[in-house]
Amino acid sequence: MLFKQMFATKSLEMLQEEMDSGQHRLRRILGPVALTSLGVGAIIGTGIFVLVGLTAKTMAGPSLMLSFIISGLGCAFAAFCYAEFAAMTPVAGSAYTFAYATLGELLAWIIGWDLILEYAVGSATVAHGWSKYFLKLLEVFNLHIPGFLTNDPLTTKHIVTHLPAMIQGAYIGSGAPVSSWFNLPAFLIVWVITIILVKGIRESAGFNSAMVIFKLVIVLIVIVAGSFFIDSRNWHPFMPPEFGWPGVMRGAAYVFFAYIGFDSISTHAEEAINPKRDVPIGIIASLAICTVLYILVAGVLTGMVPYKMIDIEAPIASAFSAQGWNSIVFIVSLGAIAGITSVLLVMMLSQPRIFLAMSRDGLMPKHIFAAVHPVFKTPHRATLLMGLVVSLGASLIPLEDLAYLVNIGTLFAFAIVCASVWIMRYVRPDYPRPFRCPLVPLIPFLGIAFNLGMMIYLGWMTWLRLFAWLSIGLVIYLVYGRYHSVLHKQGQKQDPSVS
Ligand code: ALA
């Protein structure tokens, strides 16, 4: 019977019914512009401001632009699939909910558990990246935090023992702190955001919009101002022979982090005023805007600085320091801080909503994860718990390790969403689809191929960690979720012979 339960699916009608029944519901206040802004807010951050440095320097050189195109394509295919699903099932929970409707309870749980990598570990990565620009900004004012409070404790040992030789080389002479105990700025920013989120989404959405506009302006300044400093000789060789195509692919798998976030719009479907129309618009528009900006920034960065000399801590700001243009360094650092803050805000806003969906289904304890604050109407307990975990991860774990783990988890979730859309076209061909993914099954197939393809380039260590994480999830399902599952209990009521 366990087998039957593991593959039990939640019907789309059931999801709709839950939507209409109103218990533990969130308020519907987001329109298409607010949703696109949430998307852009979640996308442009640590990936483009920080991770591009390591990618260009150690994986792809100027062909970083190609890495962005490949990664962007993988996301675009997944985005169409997300859009179809989000319009069909406008309930909080994103890929988790989609999987519950198509692949069954166990896989849904595994995906929900996997999404913790995307959102909670993702938030830790973003906060860690934030600290790099915070330190850069302090540097502009000649202020310095004691070195032992500026980075995680593992980075030094790690450089020596863990990272591939090429990446170790990138750190030498990069000015990265050599030994540290704790990343204090990353820890503090997580708590500031946690408190804002406990207070409520209305305030957060306004705060988010202001920061999104600011960061778009900064990215445009980087592109326009940087283009005056491009030396086209830096683009030759375009694909450095020491990296080749494998480097481009490794780069795509690593900068993939920069695109994460468009899918978080689907976790807000429940708060959208007209989810069936506006959620697809938000997903596709925000991804399209960011892809164009990323390719341009990659071109400008690798055109301004020979790829071997790109800084890996705060690469965009440092490209301007190298030109001696300090006022721009100040503006870019400030913009990066604001931009990355807005990413953190959206990611940390999304995680508790996934928990909420999972706990409503009985797969997680309701009294913690489904509790909505009586006055603020936010999932306050889940938010606080997440704040604690994210702040510790951000301050104690190396940035690359966090980023690799987030990427593999998210790529996996994207591949599953693509597969679910495809399956659903056969299982429920009749169900109304306000937005239809074009060219099914080609687009879902390409989504699966691109996203699994990028996973291959993340290395066996990352795969091992993914398996370890998913195995822990499986154990939790077997000892908790399967006994508390609401779907299972309903099934038992209808058929008491089911155990
Ligand atoms: N795409 C987001 C970032 O780059 C997660 O920070």
Side-chain angles (χ1 to χ4, degrees), residues 41-49 51 118 122-123 125-126 255-262 294 339-340 343-344 347 406:
I43 298 173
I44 302 179
T46 289
I48 193 66
F49 285 112
L51 304 186
E118 177 177 353
S123 302
T125 320
V126 171
V255 288
F256 168 78
F257 187 86
Y259 286 110
I260 295 176
F262 69 84
Y294 284 177
I340 299 174
V343 172
L344 194 54
M347 286 195 118
V406 176

Side-chain angles (χ1 to χ4, degrees), residues 265-427:
I265 297 175
S266 64
T267 64
H268 296 286
E270 199 175 314
E271 287 138 283
I273 300 167
N274 182 1
K276 296 190 174 185
R277 192 198 64 173
D278 298 348
V279 171
I281 293 178
I283 291 177
I284 291 162
S286 59
L287 182 64
I289 293 169
C290 296
T291 307
V292 172
L293 294 177
Y294 284 177
I295 295 169
L296 293 174
V297 169
V300 166
L301 175 68
T302 53
M304 282 176 82
V305 188
Y307 70 88
K308 287 186 180 145
M309 290 164 67
I310 290 176
D311 175 35
I312 58 165
E313 296 281 299
I316 309 283
S318 300
F320 287 95
S321 321
Q323 308 294 341
W325 201 356
N326 282 328
S327 47
I328 293 267
V329 176
F330 168 73
I331 294 173
V332 169
S333 302
L334 200 65
I337 289 177
I340 299 174
T341 307
S342 69
V343 172
L344 194 54
L345 183 78
V346 183
M347 286 195 118
M348 291 183 63
L349 193 60
S350 302
Q351 178 68 71
R353 277 149 184 81
I354 293 170
F355 284 150
L356 184 63
M358 292 165 83
S359 61
R360 277 178 192 154
D361 294 331
L363 301 180
M364 282 189 152
K366 269 205 176 90
H367 64 284
I368 303 177
F369 296 104
V372 175
H373 192 281
V375 179
F376 301 139
K377 300 274 182 240
T378 56
H380 60 304
R381 288 191 192 142
T383 305
L384 289 169
L385 184 68
M386 179 192 58
L388 180 69
V389 173
V390 170
S391 61
L392 292 176
S395 48
L396 297 172
I397 303 178
L399 183 59
E400 298 75 33
D401 284 346
L402 290 168
Y404 275 120
L405 199 55
V406 176
N407 286 3
I408 199 160
T410 312
L411 286 164
F412 181 55
F414 282 12
I416 299 252
V417 168
C418 294
S420 308
V421 163
W422 194 351
I423 294 172
M424 215 53 188
R425 287 286 181 101
Y426 291 100
V427 180

Side-chain angles (χ1 to χ4, degrees), residues 55-231:
T55 318
K57 188 166 183 163
T58 67
M59 300 175 206
S63 55
L64 170 66
M65 288 180 260
L66 279 181
S67 299
F68 268 121
I69 292 175
I70 292 170
S71 199
L73 278 173
C75 292
F77 298 136
F80 281 114
C81 297
Y82 262 97
E84 172 163 329
F85 246 134
M88 276 169 89
T89 56
V91 185
S94 179
Y96 159 76
T97 311
F98 308 158
Y100 214 153
T102 51
L103 303 170
E105 182 170 282
L106 177 67
L107 266 170
W109 161 261
I110 293 285
I111 290 294
W113 185 248
D114 176 58
L115 287 180
I116 299 176
L117 290 183
E118 177 177 353
Y119 291 102
V121 183
S123 302
T125 320
V126 171
H128 197 135
W130 184 94
S131 72
K132 308 281 184 202
Y133 274 87
F134 182 71
L135 294 173
K136 187 82 186 169
L137 189 67
L138 290 185
E139 213 180 283
V140 172
F141 294 102
N142 224 357
L143 297 169
H144 298 276
I145 294 180
F148 68 93
L149 290 176
T150 54
N151 210 344
D152 64 90
L154 292 171
T155 291
T156 341
K157 290 178 205 135
H158 209 66
I159 292 169
V160 182
T161 58
H162 173 84
L163 294 175
M166 221 176 253
I167 300 185
Q168 286 178 27
Y171 277 88
I172 295 165
S174 69
V178 256
S179 80
S180 192
W181 297 348
F182 187 73
N183 190 332
L184 183 65
F187 183 84
L188 292 179
I189 186 66
V190 172
W191 279 106
V192 169
I193 301 289
T194 303
I195 292 164
I196 292 173
L197 291 180
V198 168
K199 272 207 62 199
I201 189 174
R202 193 181 288 274
E203 290 83 344
S204 331
F207 174 64
N208 179 58
S209 304
M211 282 209 281
V212 168
I213 292 171
F214 185 42
K215 95 173 144 185
L216 281 177
V217 170
I218 297 297
V219 171
L220 290 174
I221 289 177
V222 167
I223 294 169
V224 175
S227 65
F228 289 104
F229 295 101
I230 290 176
D231 178 346

